Amino acid sequence: MDTKDFDARSYTDLLKGYIETQDERALYGAEQISKSFIKNNILPEEIVNLHIQALLEISPELHEEIHKSMNFLLEAMISYGLAHQEYQLLREKQLELKSEIHVAARMQKMLLKSEIPKTDELDIGVISVPANQMNGDYHHFVKGKDGSISIAIADIIGKGIPAALSMSMIKYAMDSFPESEMSTDAILASLNRVVERNVDPSMFITMFYAQYKPKSGKLYYSSAGHEPGFFYCSKEKRFKEIEAKGLVLGVNVDTTYSQYEQHIDKGDMIILLTDGVTECRKGQEFIERDEVLDVIKSYIHLPSQEIVNHVYRHFERLQNFQLRDDFTLVIIKKVV
C-alpha cells in the first residue's frame, strides 16, 4: 500500500467517525492527515477527489445535488491548484532574486567604500543612503602625497545591478589615475571615454570632480552634467550656486570639459549633492532648492558630519521615511 492509499483509508475512517459522532478527536486527526498531505505534496484537487470518494463509500445513496456540488468543487480546485503552483514558482524566483540583490548590494557597498581622508584644514561630512538596496549614487575621496584632497560625487541614470556594476567600473578606473597629477577636466575626459566604450548606451553618469590644493587654498573642479552644488561664503554669510558646465559621461567620446576654481577661506563650505537631495518631495510637490540651504544653515555651527546627518533626517521625515531617490550629501568645511 503506497502513501496515497494509506491517506485515503485514514481519511475515509476519520470522516466516517466524525459524521457518526461529531467527536473533536476526529478533527485533530484531520489536522494530522493534512500535514501528511503537505509532506507528500498532495494537490488540492486530489484532496477534494479523496473527499468525494470517501463520501460515496460512506453514503452510496448520496444526494445527487451534493454529488454535483462536489464535482464542481473538484473542477474549481484543479484551476486553483494550477494557479497556486504558478504562484509558488513566482514566489520562489522572487525570493531568489531578492537574495541575489542583497548579496550584490553588500558587494557594492564593499567595492565602492571610500574612507573620508583626515586633514587639519578640512572638516568633511558624508552621508549616502540608497532609496532601494542598490545605490545609484557614488562618492570617492583620495588624499594626495602633497596633501591635496580629491572628491568625486556621481549619479548614474539607471538603477539596480547594472548601475552598481557601472559604478564599480568607474571606481576602479579612477583608482588607476595619478589624480594629484591630473587636472579635474582631464580626469572627467578620461572617465568619459571609459563610460562611452563600456557602459550600456541607455545609461549615463553625471559627475562632479574637485581637488582641494592646500598650497593655493583653492578648490579646482569640473562637472559632467551633475547637480549644481553650493559654496558658502563665511564672511558674507550667504550661499551661492557652484556654476560648472559639462556634458554627462558616456554621450560622446570626444567631449571635453572645463576646469573652474574657487578660493576657500576659513569657515567657508562646499556643499556637493545628488538630485535625491534637491528633488525631495512634500506630498506630490518638489521642495525648493533654498529649503535645502535653510536646513543646512540651521546646523551650520556643527561639525560637517553632524550637519549632513541632521539634513538627512530632516528630509527623511519630510518624505515619511520613504526615499524616492538615492540621497547623497557631502559637506566640506575649511576649519584652518
Side-chain angles (χ1 to χ4, degrees):
M1 179 182 292
D2 65 20
T3 303
K4 289 186 179 180
D5 291 337
F6 176 78
D7 285 341
R9 185 70 264 156
S10 298
Y11 188 88
T12 302
D13 292 343
L14 285 168
L15 179 61
K16 184 178 180 180
Y18 181 73
I19 290 173
E20 291 175 352
T21 66
Q22 256 88 104
D23 190 340
E24 291 189 0
R25 284 178 293 181
L27 295 179
Y28 174 76
E31 291 180 10
Q32 299 306 306
I33 203 169
S34 293
K35 293 178 181 179
S36 175
F37 290 155
I38 294 171
K39 181 180 179 181
N40 294 295
N41 198 30
I42 306 299
L43 298 175
E45 62 267 26
E46 293 179 319
I47 298 172
V48 173
N49 186 56
L50 178 66
H51 186 82
I52 293 172
Q53 297 306 316
L55 273 178
L56 290 173
E57 182 178 332
I58 295 167
S59 304
E61 304 299 326
L62 187 67
H63 194 285
E64 186 178 354
E65 289 184 357
I66 296 176
H67 192 185
K68 288 178 179 178
S69 72
M70 295 305 294
N71 286 333
F72 177 85
L73 177 60
L74 176 60
E75 291 299 319
M77 285 298 99
I78 291 173
S79 297
Y80 168 81
L82 292 172
H84 184 68
Q85 283 181 307
E86 291 179 2
Y87 167 77
Q88 287 296 106
L89 287 172
L90 287 173
R91 189 167 181 272
E92 288 173 8
K93 289 180 180 178
Q94 185 182 44
L95 290 173
E96 184 180 345
L97 180 60
K98 186 176 181 180
S99 177
E100 290 178 357
I101 292 174
H102 178 69
V103 172
R106 288 177 60 189
M107 289 180 63
Q108 181 198 35
K109 188 175 181 180
M110 179 181 68
L111 290 171
L112 301 186
K113 186 177 180 181
S114 182
E115 298 290 341
I116 299 175
K118 303 296 182 183
T119 168
D120 293 333
E121 289 191 38
L122 303 178
D123 173 30
I124 303 174
V126 181
I127 191 164
S128 185
V129 182
N132 301 301
Q133 288 193 68
M134 305 300 293
N135 198 340
D137 289 354
Y138 170 62
H139 63 276
H140 182 68
F141 295 96
V142 173
K143 185 175 183 180
K145 294 179 180 179
D146 60 352
S148 64
I149 302 293
S150 297
I151 311 109
I153 185 168
D155 186 2
I156 190 163
I157 303 170
K159 304 297 180 186
I161 293 177
L165 293 173
S166 297
M167 282 303 184
S168 298
M169 180 190 65
I170 286 291
K171 194 259 188 186
Y172 284 99
M174 293 175 67
D175 284 344
S176 69
F177 297 152
E179 289 160 333
S180 61
E181 301 172 15
M182 294 177 66
S183 61
T184 58
D185 55 325
I187 286 176
L188 287 188
S190 297
L191 289 174
N192 177 65
R193 290 191 290 272
V194 172
V195 173
E196 199 279 334
R197 292 168 182 166
N198 297 284
V199 174
D200 187 286
S202 65
M203 293 191 294
F204 304 103
I205 297 173
T206 70
M207 179 178 283
F208 184 94
Y209 195 90
Q211 291 176 340
Y212 173 73
K213 300 286 188 178
K215 289 183 179 180
S216 64
K218 290 183 179 181
L219 185 81
Y220 301 88
Y221 58 90
S222 300
S223 177
H226 194 72
E227 183 78 12
F230 301 95
F231 171 70
Y232 175 74
C233 179
S234 180
K235 289 181 180 178
E236 299 177 8
K237 298 189 182 304
R238 70 181 184 91
F239 293 91
K240 70 175 183 179
E241 193 171 276
I242 295 175
E243 296 182 2
K245 297 179 180 180
L247 191 64
V248 297
L249 302 177
V251 175
N252 186 333
V253 70
D254 297 320
T255 299
T256 58
Y257 297 88
S258 299
Q259 178 170 272
Y260 305 83
E261 60 182 65
Q262 172 69 54
H263 188 80
I264 305 177
D265 293 317
K266 182 180 178 180
D268 292 348
M269 292 196 313
I270 300 294
I271 298 102
L272 307 178
L273 38 73
T274 57
D275 57 12
V277 181
T278 55
E279 293 181 4
C280 289
R281 295 187 184 185
K282 293 179 181 176
Q284 296 302 314
E285 297 183 359
F286 288 109
I287 64 169
E288 299 293 332
R289 284 171 64 86
D290 285 345
E291 185 168 343
V292 178
L293 300 181
D294 289 340
V295 177
I296 292 174
K297 195 170 184 178
S298 65
Y299 298 109
I300 206 165
H301 59 287
L302 298 174
S304 295
Q305 190 59 51
E306 292 187 35
I307 297 175
V308 298
N309 290 342
H310 279 294
V311 173
Y312 169 70
R313 284 195 288 268
H314 173 91
F315 289 109
E316 185 187 34
R317 288 192 298 270
L318 190 70
Q319 298 179 96
N320 294 318
F321 302 93
Q322 293 182 339
L323 295 182
R324 303 193 184 192
D325 197 1
D326 304 323
F327 185 108
T328 300
L329 177 63
V330 178
I331 289 183
I332 304 161
K333 182 189 295 187
K334 188 170 183 182
V335 292
V336 176

Tab-separated table of all heavy atoms in Angstrom, residues 274-296:
chain	number	residue	atom	x	y	z
A	274	THR	N	23.494	65.028	-4.704
A	274	THR	CA	22.847	64.443	-5.868
A	274	THR	C	21.400	64.921	-5.905
A	274	THR	O	20.903	65.517	-4.933
A	274	THR	CB	22.884	62.907	-5.825
A	274	THR	OG1	22.260	62.451	-4.617
A	274	THR	CG2	24.325	62.393	-5.874
A	275	ASP	N	20.708	64.650	-7.011
A	275	ASP	CA	19.348	65.172	-7.143
A	275	ASP	C	18.359	64.518	-6.188
A	275	ASP	O	17.235	64.990	-6.029
A	275	ASP	CB	18.847	65.064	-8.585
A	275	ASP	CG	18.884	63.642	-9.124
A	275	ASP	OD1	19.080	62.705	-8.339
A	275	ASP	OD2	18.717	63.478	-10.355
A	276	GLY	N	18.781	63.432	-5.519
A	276	GLY	CA	17.927	62.850	-4.499
A	276	GLY	C	17.744	63.759	-3.301
A	276	GLY	O	16.813	63.584	-2.510
A	277	VAL	N	18.637	64.745	-3.148
A	277	VAL	CA	18.524	65.734	-2.068
A	277	VAL	C	17.617	66.878	-2.508
A	277	VAL	O	16.652	67.223	-1.820
A	277	VAL	CB	19.906	66.287	-1.668
A	277	VAL	CG1	19.756	67.300	-0.534
A	277	VAL	CG2	20.839	65.163	-1.264
A	278	THR	N	17.899	67.453	-3.655
A	278	THR	CA	17.147	68.629	-4.110
A	278	THR	C	15.769	68.287	-4.656
A	278	THR	O	14.929	69.170	-4.801
A	278	THR	CB	17.940	69.379	-5.195
A	278	THR	OG1	18.260	68.463	-6.252
A	278	THR	CG2	19.220	69.953	-4.628
A	279	GLU	N	15.529	67.011	-4.964
A	279	GLU	CA	14.236	66.618	-5.515
A	279	GLU	C	13.397	65.842	-4.496
A	279	GLU	O	12.547	65.033	-4.864
A	279	GLU	CB	14.413	65.805	-6.795
A	279	GLU	CG	14.991	66.644	-7.931
A	279	GLU	CD	15.152	65.866	-9.234
A	279	GLU	OE1	14.742	64.693	-9.275
A	279	GLU	OE2	15.669	66.439	-10.199
A	280	CYS	N	13.651	66.081	-3.221
A	280	CYS	CA	12.764	65.546	-2.192
A	280	CYS	C	11.371	66.145	-2.379
A	280	CYS	O	11.229	67.227	-2.959
A	280	CYS	CB	13.276	65.905	-0.793
A	280	CYS	SG	14.772	65.011	-0.309
A	281	ARG	N	10.368	65.452	-1.885
A	281	ARG	CA	9.003	65.923	-2.099
A	281	ARG	C	8.243	66.103	-0.792
A	281	ARG	O	8.424	65.360	0.160
A	281	ARG	CB	8.217	64.924	-2.965
A	281	ARG	CG	8.752	64.784	-4.375
A	281	ARG	CD	7.822	63.919	-5.199
A	281	ARG	NE	8.362	63.682	-6.532
A	281	ARG	CZ	7.697	63.038	-7.482
A	281	ARG	NH1	6.496	62.574	-7.255
A	281	ARG	NH2	8.237	62.862	-8.673
A	282	LYS	N	7.382	67.126	-0.791
A	282	LYS	CA	6.360	67.283	0.239
A	282	LYS	C	5.059	66.826	-0.411
A	282	LYS	O	4.481	67.544	-1.218
A	282	LYS	CB	6.223	68.749	0.664
A	282	LYS	CG	7.409	69.331	1.394
A	282	LYS	CD	7.115	70.803	1.718
A	282	LYS	CE	8.272	71.452	2.429
A	282	LYS	NZ	8.028	72.908	2.669
A	283	GLY	N	4.619	65.646	-0.073
A	283	GLY	CA	3.452	65.103	-0.764
A	283	GLY	C	3.810	64.827	-2.211
A	283	GLY	O	4.713	64.046	-2.516
A	284	GLN	N	3.149	65.532	-3.139
A	284	GLN	CA	3.412	65.356	-4.565
A	284	GLN	C	4.250	66.495	-5.144
A	284	GLN	O	4.536	66.507	-6.338
A	284	GLN	CB	2.078	65.271	-5.336
A	284	GLN	CG	1.240	64.062	-4.959
A	284	GLN	CD	1.964	62.751	-5.194
A	284	GLN	OE1	2.582	62.550	-6.242
A	284	GLN	NE2	1.896	61.840	-4.227
A	285	GLU	N	4.646	67.457	-4.311
A	285	GLU	CA	5.380	68.624	-4.796
A	285	GLU	C	6.853	68.554	-4.402
A	285	GLU	O	7.192	68.162	-3.285
A	285	GLU	CB	4.756	69.910	-4.238
A	285	GLU	CG	3.326	70.154	-4.698
A	285	GLU	CD	2.791	71.466	-4.176
A	285	GLU	OE1	3.535	72.161	-3.440
A	285	GLU	OE2	1.641	71.809	-4.492
A	286	PHE	N	7.727	68.949	-5.349
A	286	PHE	CA	9.160	69.005	-5.064
A	286	PHE	C	9.463	70.193	-4.166
A	286	PHE	O	8.818	71.240	-4.255
A	286	PHE	CB	9.958	69.143	-6.367
A	286	PHE	CG	9.981	67.888	-7.205
A	286	PHE	CD1	9.271	67.827	-8.396
A	286	PHE	CD2	10.699	66.781	-6.806
A	286	PHE	CE1	9.289	66.684	-9.173
A	286	PHE	CE2	10.727	65.628	-7.563
A	286	PHE	CZ	10.015	65.576	-8.759
A	287	ILE	N	10.447	70.035	-3.296
A	287	ILE	CA	10.874	71.152	-2.458
A	287	ILE	C	11.661	72.151	-3.305
A	287	ILE	O	12.128	71.832	-4.398
A	287	ILE	CB	11.754	70.673	-1.286
A	287	ILE	CG1	13.066	70.055	-1.821
A	287	ILE	CG2	11.007	69.709	-0.392
A	287	ILE	CD1	14.103	69.798	-0.765
A	288	GLU	N	11.823	73.343	-2.793
A	288	GLU	CA	12.681	74.344	-3.425
A	288	GLU	C	14.125	74.099	-2.988
A	288	GLU	O	14.375	73.644	-1.870
A	288	GLU	CB	12.241	75.753	-3.015
A	288	GLU	CG	10.820	76.127	-3.422
A	288	GLU	CD	10.661	76.249	-4.925
A	288	GLU	OE1	11.666	76.565	-5.610
A	288	GLU	OE2	9.538	76.018	-5.411
A	289	ARG	N	15.083	74.397	-3.873
A	289	ARG	CA	16.498	74.207	-3.519
A	289	ARG	C	16.880	75.044	-2.292
A	289	ARG	O	17.722	74.628	-1.486
A	289	ARG	CB	17.387	74.598	-4.712
A	289	ARG	CG	17.387	73.554	-5.817
A	289	ARG	CD	18.093	74.060	-7.063
A	289	ARG	NE	19.509	74.317	-6.861
A	289	ARG	CZ	20.461	73.393	-6.973
A	289	ARG	NH1	20.148	72.143	-7.247
A	289	ARG	NH2	21.732	73.717	-6.809
A	290	ASP	N	16.245	76.203	-2.145
A	290	ASP	CA	16.552	77.062	-0.996
A	290	ASP	C	16.211	76.393	0.330
A	290	ASP	O	16.809	76.702	1.363
A	290	ASP	CB	15.789	78.389	-1.105
A	290	ASP	CG	16.395	79.315	-2.151
A	290	ASP	OD1	17.541	79.047	-2.578
A	290	ASP	OD2	15.730	80.284	-2.553
A	291	GLU	N	15.255	75.454	0.300
A	291	GLU	CA	14.886	74.778	1.538
A	291	GLU	C	16.038	73.910	2.045
A	291	GLU	O	16.259	73.792	3.250
A	291	GLU	CB	13.634	73.924	1.343
A	291	GLU	CG	13.145	73.295	2.635
A	291	GLU	CD	11.765	72.684	2.525
A	291	GLU	OE1	11.047	73.014	1.563
A	291	GLU	OE2	11.419	71.868	3.401
A	292	VAL	N	16.777	73.312	1.114
A	292	VAL	CA	17.956	72.528	1.493
A	292	VAL	C	18.959	73.427	2.195
A	292	VAL	O	19.521	73.073	3.244
A	292	VAL	CB	18.607	71.869	0.260
A	292	VAL	CG1	19.863	71.101	0.666
A	292	VAL	CG2	17.622	70.942	-0.441
A	293	LEU	N	19.174	74.614	1.636
A	293	LEU	CA	20.137	75.553	2.216
A	293	LEU	C	19.667	76.059	3.576
A	293	LEU	O	20.485	76.263	4.489
A	293	LEU	CB	20.365	76.729	1.258
A	293	LEU	CG	20.915	76.369	-0.123
A	293	LEU	CD1	21.118	77.617	-0.965
A	293	LEU	CD2	22.222	75.592	0.001
A	294	ASP	N	18.367	76.270	3.727
A	294	ASP	CA	17.838	76.722	5.019
A	294	ASP	C	18.096	75.691	6.106
A	294	ASP	O	18.447	76.034	7.246
A	294	ASP	CB	16.331	76.997	4.905
A	294	ASP	CG	16.022	78.242	4.088
A	294	ASP	OD1	16.922	79.080	3.930
A	294	ASP	OD2	14.875	78.348	3.598
A	295	VAL	N	17.931	74.417	5.752
A	295	VAL	CA	18.165	73.355	6.738
A	295	VAL	C	19.648	73.278	7.081
A	295	VAL	O	20.026	73.163	8.255
A	295	VAL	CB	17.658	71.993	6.212
A	295	VAL	CG1	17.966	70.882	7.225
A	295	VAL	CG2	16.165	72.050	5.931
A	296	ILE	N	20.509	73.348	6.057
A	296	ILE	CA	21.959	73.331	6.303
A	296	ILE	C	22.364	74.506	7.187
A	296	ILE	O	23.139	74.354	8.137
A	296	ILE	CB	22.730	73.374	4.970
A	296	ILE	CG1	22.527	72.066	4.199
A	296	ILE	CG2	24.222	73.613	5.217
A	296	ILE	CD1	23.127	72.078	2.802
